[in-house]
Amino acid sequence: MEIKIDDARYWKNCVDSIVNLVDEGTFTVAKEGISLKAMDPSGISMVSFFMPNKAFSKYDIEKSTQIGLNLENFDKILASARSNEQLVMKESDNKLLIEFIGQNSRRRYKLPLIDVKKEVEKEPKIDFEATVEVKSEMFKEILKDATLLSTYIGFRAEKDSFFVIAKGDAGELEEEHASNADIIKKLEVSKPSNATFNLDYLQRMISACPQNSSIVLSLKTEEPIRIDYKIGDASISYYLAPYMES
């Protein structure tokens, strides 16, 4: 296996979207591209990542390969990527060889492969009743505002409006955004839907989403939310179980 990407920092951004939620995982390197599915340690959220082979300048694999890694250590190494460096990844002797290639330099690391004990999880099958596509930078600001009052945030999607509700001992926040509001790029509702979620998890999930991009929220009352966005050619989906008041 030998994989090369021309912008090492781009791959770092992609891995950020995973390591924000899980600290270890198994990449499946297959003919069509690289994928990873993993649950977070608490079991209430899941990440599903896919990068197609076209995103790489070299993609040479003989057969489908499993690459289990401590993602925190992997991310630390990727953080050392410098401007205009290329990245080459190879598997050899139960290690992942990571090589940064600059104009006149090369820098190599080796990471041990690990056996990730949790099995690959299937994505939940949910017949979502509402889909809201929002501008990423504005949605990040909404979540930031909600943290002033609460550790949870509620979403409600109706035919012509999207509501955000946060309640805590310090007070309450409610925002209503009509379907033609600046933050909304698309609002499709087959049935009014609402659910409440952990704010910290949501912020970690969307933190790697690029500015001037879109985030798609898929909702069904009291069911897990699905969050989708892209980082270049890479597709990221998250699932987060709703908060149920006892």
Side-chain angles (χ1 to χ4, degrees), residues 36 85-86 126 162 184 236:
L36 179 146
E85 281 190 327
Q86 297 176 319
I126 303 168
F162 175 57
I184 305 292
I236 302 98

Side-chain angles (χ1 to χ4, degrees), residues 22-28 36-41 66-71 94 112-121:
V22 295
D23 54 9
E24 61 180 34
T26 301
F27 288 99
T28 299
L36 179 146
K37 288 184 174 68
M39 297 285 290
D40 85 283
Q66 303 286 314
I67 304 291
L69 292 172
N70 179 306
L71 295 172
N94 210 37
L113 302 187
I114 64 172
D115 181 20
V116 180
K117 293 180 175 58
K118 276 195 172 183
E119 294 182 6
V120 174
E121 303 284 344

Side-chain angles (χ1 to χ4, degrees), residues 175-243:
E175 295 190 26
E176 178 180 358
H177 301 278
S179 57
N180 60 352
D182 192 36
I183 186 177
I184 305 292
K185 299 190 78 171
K186 184 168 67 176
L187 177 62
E188 296 179 348
V189 179
S190 62
K191 184 178 180 181
S193 303
N194 69 88
T196 300
F197 303 96
N198 182 290
L199 254 173
D200 176 61
Y201 275 85
L202 287 172
Q203 288 188 301
R204 285 156 54 189
M205 288 173 173
I206 68 169
S207 62
C209 183
Q211 295 295 310
N212 302 315
S213 184
S214 294
I215 297 170
V216 178
L217 313 173
S218 300
L219 293 163
K220 184 176 183 179
T221 298
E222 302 305 346
E223 292 283 352
I225 188 173
R226 189 179 76 203
I227 298 172
D228 297 278
Y229 61 83
K230 295 181 77 70
I231 303 175
D233 289 319
S235 302
I236 302 98
S237 298
Y238 302 93
Y239 294 85
L240 177 62
Y243 169 70

Side-chain angles (χ1 to χ4, degrees), residues 126-185:
I126 303 168
D127 294 324
F128 293 106
E129 298 167 341
T131 302
V132 189
E133 183 177 352
V134 294
K135 293 181 179 178
S136 60
E137 64 272 24
M138 297 179 74
F139 187 64
K140 288 179 181 182
E141 287 298 319
I142 285 177
L143 298 194
K144 184 179 177 182
D145 291 343
T147 61
L148 300 174
L149 299 173
S150 182
T151 53
Y152 296 93
I153 191 167
F155 300 131
R156 187 169 82 247
E158 298 183 355
K159 183 180 178 182
D160 298 312
S161 296
F162 175 57
F163 296 84
V164 179
I165 303 102
K167 297 179 180 179
D169 293 338
E172 299 182 8
L173 165 71
E174 180 172 323
E175 295 190 26
E176 178 180 358
H177 301 278
S179 57
N180 60 352
D182 192 36
I183 186 177
I184 305 292
K185 299 190 78 171

Side-chain angles (χ1 to χ4, degrees), residues 5-160:
I5 191 163
D6 287 336
D7 183 355
R9 287 183 172 179
Y10 170 61
W11 181 244
K12 164 70 168 65
N13 293 342
C14 292
V15 172
D16 281 346
S17 71
I18 303 168
V19 79
N20 288 339
L21 200 64
V22 295
D23 54 9
E24 61 180 34
T26 301
F27 288 99
T28 299
V29 184
K31 180 180 177 181
E32 61 274 11
I34 297 178
S35 61
L36 179 146
K37 288 184 174 68
M39 297 285 290
D40 85 283
S42 74
I44 69 167
S45 65
M46 175 183 179
V47 59
S48 177
F49 172 89
F50 177 70
M51 173 86 89
N53 57 22
K54 68 177 183 178
F56 302 91
S57 54
K58 182 175 184 179
Y59 195 80
D60 184 10
I61 64 164
E62 292 182 3
K63 61 181 180 179
S64 182
T65 304
Q66 303 286 314
I67 304 291
L69 292 172
N70 179 306
L71 295 172
E72 289 185 338
N73 292 338
F74 187 36
D75 198 54
K76 288 175 184 176
I77 289 173
L78 295 174
S80 73
R82 294 159 193 160
S83 181
N84 300 319
E85 281 190 327
Q86 297 176 319
L87 172 67
V88 175
M89 294 179 286
K90 302 176 185 178
E91 185 207 1
S92 177
D93 298 326
N94 210 37
K95 290 183 173 64
L96 181 67
L97 279 58
I98 304 160
E99 184 175 34
F100 296 98
I101 304 173
Q103 188 172 359
N104 298 298
S105 64
R106 290 175 181 263
R107 192 168 71 263
R108 299 180 182 91
Y109 296 88
K110 293 181 181 180
L111 265 185
L113 302 187
I114 64 172
D115 181 20
V116 180
K117 293 180 175 58
K118 276 195 172 183
E119 294 182 6
V120 174
E121 303 284 344
K122 292 183 179 179
E123 294 184 34
K125 290 188 176 180
I126 303 168
D127 294 324
F128 293 106
E129 298 167 341
T131 302
V132 189
E133 183 177 352
V134 294
K135 293 181 179 178
S136 60
E137 64 272 24
M138 297 179 74
F139 187 64
K140 288 179 181 182
E141 287 298 319
I142 285 177
L143 298 194
K144 184 179 177 182
D145 291 343
T147 61
L148 300 174
L149 299 173
S150 182
T151 53
Y152 296 93
I153 191 167
F155 300 131
R156 187 169 82 247
E158 298 183 355
K159 183 180 178 182
D160 298 312

